[in-house]
Amino acid sequence: MHNTEDDCWVSIHGSIYDLTDFAEEHPPGAQSIIDLAGMDGTEAFESVHNENILEDFEDVKIGFLKQ
């Protein structure tokens, strides 16, 4: 299910990212990422980030949502 602190996948703009290892490094804290584990985090992401920052996470992009 990828919705725990130890297995944290988040969908953003239809791409799925494994943010498990990054969560602890997230400047505002891990909880804001863990709260979105297993869910679509697009709205939360857009409220505080520029989409271009996702280029820094290509190495943890693990797939795409089926449409």
Side-chain angles (χ1 to χ4, degrees):
M1 305 235 332
H2 312 292
N3 61 354
T4 68
E5 177 178 340
D6 298 319
D7 186 19
C8 181
W9 293 12
V10 179
S11 168
I12 302 170
H13 296 292
S15 295
I16 302 168
Y17 297 87
D18 181 348
L19 299 177
T20 307
D21 293 334
F22 173 73
E24 290 299 324
E25 299 172 24
H26 189 234
Q31 197 61 51
S32 60
I33 291 178
I34 294 166
D35 288 347
L36 297 171
M39 301 186 329
D40 184 346
T42 302
E43 187 175 327
F45 173 85
E46 286 181 336
S47 71
V48 293
H49 296 292
N50 182 310
E51 188 172 350
N52 294 336
I53 198 169
L54 291 174
E55 294 171 7
D56 295 338
F57 292 88
E58 287 295 314
D59 61 324
V60 295
K61 183 190 290 185
I62 55 175
F64 302 93
L65 292 176
K66 291 183 179 179
Q67 298 202 16

